[in-house]
Amino acid sequence: SAAYHLTLLGHDVVIRDNSPLAGGMMRYGIPSYRLPRRVLDAEIRRLHRLGVTFEQDHVVTDLQVEMAEDGFDAAFVAVGAQVGKRAYVPAGESAKIVDAVSLLRDMEGEERPRLGRRVVVYGGGNTAMDAARTAKRLGAEEAIVVYRRTRDKMPAHYFEVEEAMQEGVMIKWLSTIKQAGESSITIEKMELDSSGFPQPTGEIETLEADSVVLALGQ
C-alpha cells in the first residue's frame, strides 16, 4: 500500500522482502479461502506495472547500511506482526505444538503441514478461527477450539465463529489447556468471576488430540 501511494506521488520505490513471494501477511497470514490468491496476485501485478521493483528473498539486517549503500532517501518499515505469541503449556517431548502464524505461513509452502486427525486450537480470535478452519481443510476429522471465556467475550468476529461452526469446528468454552501429551491434552474448566475474569474450577477433562495450535496473538 505504501509503495502504491508513494509511486503515484512520483517516487521510485523498491520493496525488499525476505519471503519468496510478494504479499507479506496477506499471502502468508490470511488463508486463501478468505483472500483468493488470484486477487492478491492481480494487485501485485498492478504495482509492477506502476514501476515498483520487488526484491524477494532479501533479508534486511542493517537498514542504515542498505540505505547508504544503495542511495535510498527514505525507508518505510512495514514488516507486520509475523511472530506468534507463545504460552507455556506443560508438554511431553512427543507432543506436537505449533503456533497459528507458522501454520498459516506453511500453507503457502510446497508441502502442506501435517496436523493429524484431531486438532485442538488454543485461542479465541480471528486467527484461531482461521487455524481451525485450515485444520479442517487439511483433513482433520475434529478441530476443536479451546477458549477460556464465553462466546460473548470472544474477540473473533461473530460471523467468523458462525462460519467456523458451520464447517464443523467445535468450541470448548470456559476452558484452558493444562497439559499436552502425545495423543491427548488435559483441559481445566473455568468460570467467570464478578469482574468477568476466568478462574480455575479444578474440574479436569481429557481430549484426544494429535496436535495443538496456539493462536494467542502476534
Side-chain angles (χ1 to χ4, degrees), residues 4-26:
Y4 172 78
H5 290 288
L6 287 167
T7 302
L8 293 184
L9 290 171
H11 300 283
D12 293 326
V13 181
V14 175
I15 293 179
R16 291 184 169 172
D17 181 358
N18 70 348
S19 299
L21 297 173
M25 290 296 278
M26 288 182 291

Side-chain angles (χ1 to χ4, degrees), residues 70-147:
D70 296 321
F72 291 106
D73 300 302
F76 185 89
V77 181
V79 296
Q82 301 195 33
V83 178
K85 286 183 179 178
R86 303 286 293 195
Y88 175 67
V89 176
E93 293 183 3
S94 57
K96 183 174 183 178
I97 301 178
V98 299
D99 70 83
V101 176
S102 298
L103 168 65
L104 296 174
R105 184 177 184 86
D106 289 345
M107 287 295 292
E108 294 299 309
E110 294 182 2
E111 186 174 340
R112 290 289 188 261
R114 296 183 179 180
L115 298 178
R117 294 186 302 109
R118 301 159 303 188
V119 181
V120 169
V121 178
Y122 194 26
N126 292 322
T127 302
M129 300 302 111
D130 285 341
R133 296 173 71 180
T134 296
K136 294 290 287 185
R137 284 163 172 76
L138 287 170
E141 296 173 8
E142 291 184 3
I144 303 175
V145 173
V146 174
Y147 178 58

